[in-house]
Amino acid sequence: MTSGSYQQFCPVSMAAEILCTRWTMVLVRELVAGTTRFNDLRRGMPRMSPALLSKRLKELEDNGIVKKMPVAGEPGVMEYHLTPSGKELGPIVEAMGIWGQRWTETQPQLEKLDAGLLMWDMRRNIQVPELPRQRSVIQFIYPERRVTERNWWLVVDPKEGVDLCMVEPGFDVDLFVHTDLRTMTAIWMGLEPMAKAIEDERMVLTGDKALQKSMLKWLGLNRLASVPKQVA
């Protein structure tokens, strides 16, 4: 008998036994978003322990949802890719996200602040074509956070893509974004207009004027930001 089994033949309960253990659907969310490497998965789930992440990946692999594959040209490096079975979970993750954005209250949502998760989500949604053809460096500063969460740098290279740094990357900064984490999270999730935060001086942009003007275009916002709330 499987530990924690519902002991029901119902396909819903069978699926729940695999997918509804702690962190599993959040891990599937990261895999659906295209993350394939262990350390990158950790960046999308900074509060999940490495040991538990390894365990959940093994469970998904055992159930045919994930396939572990070596990386060509990088000895000892492995990636985790969704199988056809795993890819079928994409619309389910999307539906859960839409439901969560629509039917969960705003206040509790904005009490669960996580600078690492926010910046990682922003990093993978940056609209590179909307930025200049040369390298752009944007520094986000959350002055109310502890030192290790206060400064973040997005380094955008048109050829190499977007890198997220927690230590100064050594390049001149083109745009400084001073704000608090709650305000940035609300903007990112479509819960508050950026213009209102700037008007109230809860967000201050300094540096390249073109980057300031086009920020909403290159930032991109979370893919669920356009889903309207049905509860306050």
Side-chain angles (χ1 to χ4, degrees):
M1 182 177 71
T2 303
S3 176
S5 173
Y6 295 110
Q7 292 299 295
Q8 292 188 344
F9 63 83
C10 168
V12 172
S13 64
M14 296 291 290
E17 288 181 14
I18 299 170
L19 299 172
C20 293
T21 52
R22 183 169 174 78
W23 285 106
T24 298
M25 282 305 294
V26 182
L27 171 55
V28 172
R29 176 200 71 191
E30 291 299 305
L31 292 164
V32 167
T35 307
T36 59
R37 299 200 177 188
F38 189 90
N39 287 336
D40 288 341
L41 289 167
R42 286 197 64 198
R43 298 185 79 173
M45 301 172 293
R47 298 178 189 274
M48 186 182 189
S49 72
L52 184 56
L53 174 55
S54 294
K55 180 181 179 181
R56 293 291 183 254
L57 284 168
K58 183 63 167 60
E59 291 169 351
L60 291 176
E61 189 177 4
D62 290 344
N63 284 283
I65 295 169
V66 165
K67 184 176 182 180
K68 187 177 180 180
M69 303 172 62
V71 179
E74 298 185 49
V77 178
M78 306 297 291
E79 288 186 341
Y80 299 88
H81 292 268
L82 292 170
T83 64
S85 165
K87 291 176 182 177
E88 281 196 14
L89 293 171
I92 297 172
V93 172
E94 179 81 8
M96 288 180 68
I98 291 171
W99 185 92
Q101 178 77 345
R102 183 174 288 149
W103 294 106
T104 58
E105 295 180 355
T106 299
Q107 185 61 31
Q109 187 175 2
L110 292 179
E111 289 174 357
K112 296 177 171 64
L113 301 177
D114 189 319
L117 174 59
L118 173 66
M119 294 305 303
W120 184 248
D121 203 27
M122 288 166 55
R123 174 256 177 198
R124 63 185 171 199
N125 283 278
I126 293 294
Q127 305 299 303
V128 177
E130 297 292 343
L131 285 159
R133 293 184 178 180
Q134 68 272 15
R135 181 180 59 224
S136 300
V137 180
I138 303 104
Q139 182 177 354
F140 287 78
I141 304 165
Y142 305 115
E144 84 286 5
R145 307 301 289 185
R146 63 179 185 267
V147 174
T148 55
E149 286 190 328
R150 192 170 299 161
N151 292 282
W152 302 81
W153 291 263
L154 288 171
V155 181
V156 186
D157 187 292
K159 295 181 180 179
E160 298 181 7
V162 186
D163 192 19
L164 173 63
C165 303
M166 295 180 65
V167 295
E168 192 169 354
F171 304 122
D172 291 338
V173 176
D174 299 292
L175 179 66
F176 296 89
V177 182
H178 292 76
T179 187
D180 61 275
L181 186 57
R182 189 181 192 279
T183 295
M184 192 66 244
T185 303
I187 292 169
W188 178 246
M189 293 306 302
L191 304 174
E192 178 180 355
M194 184 183 294
K196 181 68 165 59
I198 293 174
E199 180 183 346
D200 294 344
E201 298 185 347
R202 286 177 292 111
M203 172 178 278
V204 178
L205 307 179
T206 54
D208 189 282
K209 296 297 183 182
L211 289 181
Q212 292 184 41
K213 187 176 180 180
S214 64
M215 186 170 174
L216 272 179
K217 291 183 178 180
W218 57 257
L219 186 61
L221 298 188
N222 183 276
R223 59 189 177 79
L224 298 173
S226 61
V227 177
K229 283 283 188 183
Q230 298 298 315
V231 292

